Amino acid sequence: MSRRIVIEPVTRLEGHAKITVQLDDAGQVRSARFHVTEFRGFEKICEGRPFHEMPGLMSRICGICPVSHVLASSKAGDMLLGVEIPPAATKQRRLVNYAQVLQSHALSFFHLSSPDLLLGMDSPPEKRNIFGLMEQDREFLRSGIRLRQFGQQIIELVGGKRIHPGWSGPGGVHERFTTRQRDEIVKWIPESIESIGIALDRLKSVLDSFREEVAHMGNFPSLFLATVNEEGGLEYYDGVIRITDGSGNTIAEALDPHRFYTYLGEASESYSFMKFPFYQPFGYPQGHYRVGPLARLNVAKFAGTYHADREMREFKQRGEGAVCQSFHFHLARLIEMLHCTERIEELMEDPELFEEAIQAKASLNRREGVGSCEAPRGTLFHRYWVDKDGLMTKADLLIATAQNNQAMNLSVEQTARRFLDAEPDQGMLNRLEAAIRCYDPCLSCSTHALGRMPLVVDVTGPAGEPVRQIRRET
Amino acid sequence: MSVRTLEVDGRTITAMADQTIFSAAWDNGIRIPRLCHLGGLPDAAACRLCLVEIEGQKRLQSACTTKVAEDMVVRTDTPALQAHRKLIIELLFAERNHVCSVCVVNGACELQTLAAELGVDHIRMKPQYPKLPVDVSHHRFGIDHNRCILCTRCVRVCDSVEGAHTWDVAGRGRNSLIISDLGEPWGESASCTSCGKCVQVCPTGALFSKGKTVAEMRKDRSFLQYIVTAREKRLWIAERKPR
Ligand code: SF4
Ligand code: SF4
Ligand code: FES
């Protein structure tokens, strides 16, 4: 008998999604899919608005990584003006981007994923959450909460408001960075580096107990895409695009992020509102690629900061040429947090950050602009078209989670194959969720969808008739 | 000039005979809600938010245009007036497209502030969602009709202070629209001197400086007080003292 199992939604994700598992007559997994069912259509809302408003508008796409959208949008605006912005503005944007990666990763690792990782995938669901972890390991969780706070504090100090900062716009940023702000920030650094180090040790120490998950929850070769600097090191704000494959071979080097649409394409599938981006020369679906922490560590040759480089060398040992297990997104995230903290520390000593000039003044000089940066979840592209007065005629966003779409589907399928026994048990459901959670998909931003419901598992027979339903209230 | 004594909200106050209820109340620390009135500009009584009750009169009167009178008894804040004002604000929101979270004056908007003060937390009527233009043809400024409340402050400041009369109102009722010159794009207006006074007096995010993103536009009206005081005191007329 063929059954379909539907899990909806994946809890502890920002957004609304569901999973279906299609079984064949033998009860084996035929296919598994990750559906994104809502659509918010942000691109449409932008039309007719002045391009200067875009950073503020775009920051509303997502409450989790507003900064990344502000940055990509500001950069697209810089290009519309046709200017190079003053160094102090660049550095301030870099600073806030590092802070954003830090706080977002802290949320993903400590708040969302560590219950699975530290309490075990099969621990009872009522305990397998942040509160259960709180009971068991208060100090550890507290350090995570503080790491997130650190990131948010920087964003708030510079951007004024914790979420949805409108501090940056076309041409630069709007306020100077002060030594008072620096003094607030430096206080946090030693503690942060220490906490991340402890978390890294903790994660590495439990990895052995997840050997099965590491091997079967999204372990496949794929292309990896990320921004790197001119030397090929980790880069989050301004650089070139590099693509490598599952064995670490360079597929493309020094691609211009402003021309991303010439080498990246988007396919659609009927079962998902989310697009399926791919590397054009390889076609769809062969050209699918992963972005985000795992991709960045695979693509970059080095980190460029002391602690992160040590960890990165060790990290690269986990694969042959490339680390292909999506489970290691978690590890990559922690290493990135380390790197970001180190970069923040460097910036605090950079005199250019404090300079007076923060805005390049210009009026509209181009009709099309592209901005890109590395968001916590991966490479983000904004492409805008404006009329002669600067009113938006069209916006095109290529968002990190969408670029991981195909990989998430593959992960779900692989996980289902491995962990679906004759009967679906909670452990399997948890692993399906966890497979997706590796990517930390922010679904509200990748499909611009919002919403949350209790978890529902629908099992349907060959003709679509419901066999049974398993509910898990959130 | 002669002085009048009147009662406002139970308080006895005095005012000059040519003062309006609004300004007499203001001088005595009684703040009547308003959107179209702005000190230094001639009044138009366009928004009706300053309506007050005057004893012995059936109809409500706009405080910004009604002169004080001897022994007048005025109430500015009765439950009925509060309800009227709330309704007006709701109608203003329903009439056009106000998405504060992405507006250039978010946090410093007179309409928004007043709505909060009056406790408007939702609108009871169906929003009209009109499709209105945004004109950013001017090299320094823009006008977003979606946020215009037709208070005509811009029209009045341009006419009576700057002396250009670039702005006026076209159409009637809900089709009313602020236009520059005879409806040309602002950037092509022959009369506009690009002084920016209209931008500064506009109570909402309808008129804005280009280059401003969400919640960044702050209005500076110090010029108005300066000009009006200078005019009253005839400061710009250089005194020629015999040497
Ligand atoms: S003009 Fe005022 S009320 Fe209208 S959207 Fe802007 S902030 Fe809100
Ligand atoms: S543009 Fe501003 S000042 Fe002019 S009428 Fe509209 S709201 Fe009033
Ligand atoms: S302030 Fe009196 S009618 Fe607007």
Side-chain angles (χ1 to χ4, degrees):
Chain A
M1 190 188 81
S2 141
R3 298 176 301 167
R4 269 178 84 213
I5 299 168
V6 184
I7 303 182
E8 181 179 11
V10 179
T11 55
R12 279 180 279 147
L13 285 182
E14 323 292 341
H16 174 191
K18 69 175 180 176
I19 299 169
T20 57
V21 181
Q22 176 85 54
L23 302 181
D24 59 19
D25 291 338
Q28 298 297 307
V29 175
R30 183 185 292 156
S31 69
R33 269 163 188 173
F34 176 48
H35 305 256
V36 179
T37 50
E38 283 182 29
F39 191 69
R40 194 155 139 199
F42 236 89
E43 285 93 337
K44 264 259 137 348
I45 297 175
C46 304
E47 284 169 20
R49 304 301 317 170
F51 76 95
H52 277 285
E53 282 182 10
M54 284 307 108
L57 201 68
M58 291 296 174
S59 77
R60 300 279 157 175
I61 295 179
C62 173
I64 304 299
C65 56
V67 170
S68 312
H69 288 289
V70 171
L71 284 180
S73 186
S74 300
K75 288 180 75 180
D78 298 344
M79 186 166 163
L80 287 170
L81 298 176
V83 296
E84 184 173 332
I85 68 170
T90 306
K91 302 233 153 129
Q92 205 183 102
R93 288 185 186 174
R94 275 180 186 280
L95 168 66
V96 177
N97 200 26
Y98 288 129
Q100 164 72 11
V101 174
L102 187 63
Q103 74 93 9
S104 171
H105 283 4
L107 179 77
S108 164
F109 183 77
F110 290 92
H111 300 60
L112 303 178
S113 293
S114 65
D116 282 348
L117 296 172
L118 301 181
L119 303 176
M121 302 260 174
D122 296 312
S123 59
E126 64 278 9
K127 289 267 177 222
R128 199 171 37 84
N129 53 36
I130 189 162
F131 304 105
L133 191 63
M134 182 73 107
E135 276 170 28
Q136 274 216 356
D137 204 338
R138 182 171 279 275
E139 261 322 290
F140 179 76
L141 194 60
R142 213 183 72 91
S143 74
I145 293 172
R146 287 197 41 93
L147 278 168
R148 174 142 196 256
Q149 248 176 19
F150 175 37
Q152 284 182 317
Q153 170 104 41
I154 297 178
I155 295 171
E156 196 180 330
L157 275 170
V158 178
K161 259 198 283 173
R162 197 170 283 218
I163 314 261
H164 302 314
W167 102 96
S168 165
V173 296
H174 300 126
E175 249 163 88
R176 272 178 75 183
F177 188 76
T178 64
T179 49
R180 190 190 60 78
Q181 289 168 318
R182 177 198 59 202
D183 297 344
E184 283 293 314
I185 293 171
V186 290
K187 287 196 290 215
W188 290 79
I189 290 172
E191 174 196 330
S192 301
I193 295 204
E194 196 192 324
S195 308
I196 301 166
I198 294 172
L200 267 165
D201 290 343
R202 278 292 289 274
L203 177 59
K204 284 188 236 168
S205 74
V206 298
L207 274 180
D208 263 354
S209 60
F210 289 103
R211 220 172 282 140
E212 284 297 295
E213 284 83 357
V214 173
H216 299 285
M217 268 173 47
N219 179 14
F220 47 82
S222 76
L223 300 181
F224 295 98
L225 180 148
T227 310
V228 291
N229 62 25
E230 274 167 18
E231 295 82 42
L234 273 184
E235 171 62 47
Y236 295 80
Y237 175 75
D238 217 354
V240 290
I241 300 290
R242 185 161 185 256
I243 300 174
T244 57
D245 70 8
S247 313
N249 304 311
T250 306
I251 301 299
E253 190 108 61
L255 296 173
D256 183 358
H258 299 105
R259 296 177 50 76
F260 73 94
Y261 47 87
T262 61
Y263 49 85
L264 300 180
E266 283 184 303
S268 322
E269 295 279 4
S270 57
Y271 62 86
S272 180
F273 267 121
M274 197 152 62
K275 293 275 177 52
F276 290 80
F278 60 97
Y279 178 53
Q280 279 179 12
F282 282 33
Y284 177 77
Q286 294 76 18
H288 86 86
Y289 56 92
R290 279 179 273 186
V291 295
L294 182 72
R296 286 190 285 252
L297 294 203
N298 275 329
V299 168
K301 296 172 185 157
F302 58 90
T305 56
Y306 177 74
H307 293 290
D309 260 324
R310 268 186 24 194
E311 292 293 338
M312 198 158 151
R313 275 192 294 273
E314 190 190 311
F315 179 83
K316 284 184 180 283
Q317 302 297 315
R318 293 179 188 272
E320 279 159 34
V323 180
C324 287
Q325 300 95 335
S326 283
F327 198 87
H328 288 319
F329 263 96
H330 296 301
L331 194 52
R333 230 165 251 135
L334 286 174
I335 298 172
E336 286 200 309
M337 287 172 70
L338 201 52
H339 175 69
C340 289
T341 311
E342 290 179 288
R343 285 287 192 222
I344 291 169
E345 188 173 23
E346 280 174 21
L347 276 170
M348 291 302 98
E349 279 151 29
D350 189 334
E352 274 187 351
L353 176 65
F354 301 85
E355 281 175 5
E356 202 165 327
I358 49 169
Q359 264 280 352
K361 292 255 180 326
S363 46
L364 184 67
N365 284 304
R366 307 183 54 143
R367 299 291 284 276
E368 191 185 320
V370 176
S372 86
C373 66
E374 286 293 326
R377 294 162 181 81
T379 321
L380 172 65
F381 302 94
H382 283 204
R383 186 181 183 197
Y384 302 160
W385 290 262
V386 296
D387 69 8
K388 66 175 188 6
D389 296 326
L391 291 181
M392 297 283 296
T393 53
K394 198 175 156 203
D396 197 358
L397 314 183
L398 184 54
I399 285 161
T401 297
Q403 297 172 79
N404 280 331
N405 197 7
Q406 181 70 1
M408 283 192 283
N409 274 285
L410 289 173
S411 284
V412 162
E413 192 163 303
Q414 205 178 45
T415 309
R417 283 230 162 83
R418 170 62 188 78
F419 293 101
L420 187 81
D421 298 316
E423 287 305 308
D425 62 8
Q426 289 293 329
M428 189 278 299
L429 301 186
N430 297 343
R431 282 172 180 84
L432 278 179
E433 285 188 50
I436 292 172
R437 217 174 296 125
C438 289
Y439 300 88
D440 188 23
C442 154
L443 297 171
S444 79
C445 112
S446 50
T447 62
H448 325 292
L450 286 172
R452 197 184 288 256
M453 303 176 8
L455 180 68
V456 181
V457 182
D458 275 327
V459 185
T460 55
E465 78 277 14
V467 174
R468 68 186 178 118
Q469 188 180 63
I470 310 165
R471 275 183 169 277
R472 188 162 78 204
E473 308 300 334
T474 45
Chain B
M1 186 170 298
S2 54
V3 170
R4 301 281 182 269
T5 308
L6 65 157
E7 193 188 301
V8 180
D9 291 346
R11 279 174 56 192
T12 305
I13 64 170
T14 54
M16 294 308 207
D18 68 341
Q19 260 187 304
T20 62
I21 298 174
F22 185 95
S23 87
W26 179 275
D27 287 350
N28 285 278
I30 299 167
R31 299 282 179 262
I32 301 174
R34 56 102 154 91
L35 278 175
C36 71
H37 170 83
L38 186 65
L41 297 185
D43 279 301
C47 75
R48 317 308 291 172
L49 270 154
C50 68
L51 289 181
V52 292
E53 293 173 4
I54 300 173
E55 223 167 80
Q57 295 193 22
K58 267 211 206 104
R59 295 182 52 194
L60 303 174
Q61 300 293 340
S62 53
C64 68
T65 48
T66 308
K67 295 260 170 359
V68 295
E70 192 65 27
D71 293 334
M72 205 179 219
V73 178
V74 182
R75 277 179 296 272
T76 74
D77 203 22
T78 64
L81 288 172
Q82 287 164 5
H84 280 309
R85 289 180 186 138
K86 256 180 118 162
L87 185 66
I88 293 171
I89 299 281
E90 287 178 54
L91 285 165
L92 286 175
F93 279 123
E95 190 174 30
R96 300 219 165 163
N97 304 306
H98 293 270
V99 187
C100 303
S101 62
V102 294
C103 178
V104 283
V105 295
N106 189 8
C109 167
E110 288 183 50
L111 176 59
Q112 190 187 42
T113 309
L114 203 53
E117 280 172 13
L118 296 175
V120 178
D121 47 16
H122 67 289
I123 53 175
R124 285 165 286 183
M125 52 295 275
K126 195 164 146 258
Q128 299 298 298
Y129 300 127
K131 280 215 176 331
L132 291 170
V134 180
D135 180 354
V136 284
S137 56
H138 192 281
H139 67 292
R140 287 174 55 202
F141 314 117
I143 180 166
D144 181 350
H145 294 281
N146 295 288
R147 298 169 181 152
C148 172
I149 56 169
L150 297 167
C151 69
T152 70
R153 281 188 191 177
C154 54
V155 177
R156 287 172 283 144
V157 78
C158 185
D159 176 60
S160 76
V161 180
E162 178 61 9
H165 201 126
T166 301
W167 297 114
D168 217 318
V169 186
R172 311 192 114 243
R174 65 191 292 235
N175 295 323
S176 304
L177 206 65
I178 296 291
I179 54 163
S180 40
D181 288 357
L182 292 171
E184 292 96 339
W186 191 2
E188 287 163 28
S189 158
S191 64
C192 174
T193 63
S194 300
C195 74
K197 292 187 176 70
C198 54
V199 175
Q200 302 305 332
V201 299
C202 175
T204 69
L207 283 162
F208 57 90
S209 298
K210 271 182 157 179
K212 297 293 181 195
T213 179
V214 172
E216 243 207 311
M217 177 83 206
R218 294 298 177 254
K219 310 260 167 139
D220 177 6
R221 293 175 191 146
S222 49
F223 76 91
L224 199 57
Q225 196 177 13
Y226 172 79
I227 291 176
V228 172
T229 316
R231 182 187 277 168
E232 273 168 13
K233 301 201 166 153
R234 302 173 69 78
L235 282 183
W236 64 88
I237 300 168
E239 304 251 345
R240 294 222 184 136
K241 292 205 178 109
R243 248 170 274 210

